[in-house]
Amino acid sequence: MSDAPRPYTLVAELTYRCPLRCVYCSNPLDWARHADGLATADWLRVFREAEALGVVQLNLTGGEPLLPTREQLGRARAVARAARQRLQGRMEVLFVTPDYYVEFPKACMDGWGRRFLVVAPDGLVLPCHAAHTIPGLAFDNVKTRSLADIWRGSSAFEAFRGEAWMSEPCRSCDRRGADFGGCRCQAFHLTGDAAATDPACSLAPAHGLIEAARRAALGEATATLQYRTAKAGAGERG
């Protein structure tokens, strides 16, 4: 398989609207400001462009715009149970574990801008779900630029694509082509520098942050959780 950047998976975030307030959610906390700007025709065009690019996997995701009833949940469970039986041996359910207790980080999204595309509800194209949290990156929109053009020439995708952006210890590390420096978003949120080695890596200068977090996890949790919700007075848009 060629190592050249080629998208295999398109993650389509159809909406951010959701009545739930899950702490772990990667969608924007100020989701009410994000309009669901793509019409059905826009999404269909994006899907066709993704197919032409060679994408073979489509993930439909986003928020939870409707609160399901007990009956709907029951039907959903039945559908999922039947699908699990029908696809047994052909589809694997993966449990993704955090990388805070390993020596080296995971290759987040299989490397920035290598295999994954995320299209947000408003049409912005991102290298990963949380890329919009990194300041200084300019993301293109499928309303004004084709998916292929964005994949091949977007400054946001080029920012951490490949190895040229890496500093030490990543630059000379034998694993740089395996984990690609880890997660750019995690690096930014823990160190303030998106180009830093992911602190989850045992070789990272900031690995002490992870070690401190592990020690803190053994004691009583004191962090205040920030829930994903609309601000007072903000209505849904889209």
Side-chain angles (χ1 to χ4, degrees):
M1 182 180 68
S2 171
D3 195 48
R6 176 230 160 148
Y8 286 156
T9 301
L10 170 66
V11 180
E13 296 196 307
L14 302 180
T15 182
Y16 286 145
R17 291 177 293 168
C18 184
L20 307 179
R21 302 199 304 164
C22 303
V23 176
Y24 57 80
C25 185
S26 63
N27 285 341
L29 289 168
D30 57 346
W31 61 270
R33 295 195 302 105
H34 295 260
D36 295 349
L38 292 186
T40 300
D42 294 323
W43 279 116
L44 293 176
R45 174 179 57 81
V46 169
F47 297 159
R48 288 192 295 269
E49 291 182 4
E51 182 181 19
L53 265 174
V55 167
V56 295
Q57 186 177 61
L58 172 64
N59 296 344
L60 301 178
T61 182
E64 177 59 70
L66 298 175
L67 186 64
T69 64
R70 185 182 298 274
E71 291 75 17
Q72 288 172 327
L73 285 175
R75 290 197 297 270
R77 290 193 186 98
V79 169
R81 187 164 50 249
R84 188 177 296 114
Q85 294 173 351
R86 184 177 70 254
L87 299 172
Q88 186 174 8
R90 296 161 51 197
M91 180 178 292
E92 181 182 6
V93 178
L94 300 177
F95 177 66
V96 180
T97 58
D99 51 12
Y100 288 173
Y101 293 93
V102 296
E103 187 177 4
F104 301 110
K106 299 187 293 288
C108 186
M109 303 298 282
D110 201 19
W112 182 282
R114 288 186 74 246
R115 300 290 181 249
F116 283 82
L117 288 155
V118 178
V119 179
D122 55 4
L124 289 181
V125 183
L126 315 172
C128 77
H129 303 77
H132 57 80
T133 65
I134 299 178
L137 296 179
F139 300 105
D140 293 287
N141 198 299
V142 293
K143 295 178 182 178
T144 57
R145 195 173 179 184
S146 74
L147 200 63
D149 195 29
I150 294 173
W151 173 259
R152 295 175 182 133
S154 167
S155 61
F157 276 77
E158 290 294 329
F160 303 111
R161 180 179 267 165
E163 302 175 6
W165 61 272
M166 294 180 179
S167 58
E168 295 295 347
C170 291
R171 183 179 292 274
S172 59
C173 181
D174 292 339
R175 292 184 52 83
R176 65 184 181 277
D179 58 35
F180 305 98
C183 177
R184 297 302 88 222
C185 300
Q186 181 162 269
F188 170 72
H189 287 289
L190 290 179
T191 72
D193 180 7
T197 301
D198 187 340
C201 179
S202 60
L203 302 177
H207 185 62
L209 295 171
I210 300 299
E211 294 176 322
R214 290 202 299 254
R215 290 193 297 269
L218 297 176
E220 183 178 354
T222 58
T224 300
L225 300 179
Q226 186 176 18
Y227 289 88
R228 172 182 174 271
T229 185
K231 295 181 180 179
E236 289 187 2
R237 296 170 58 186

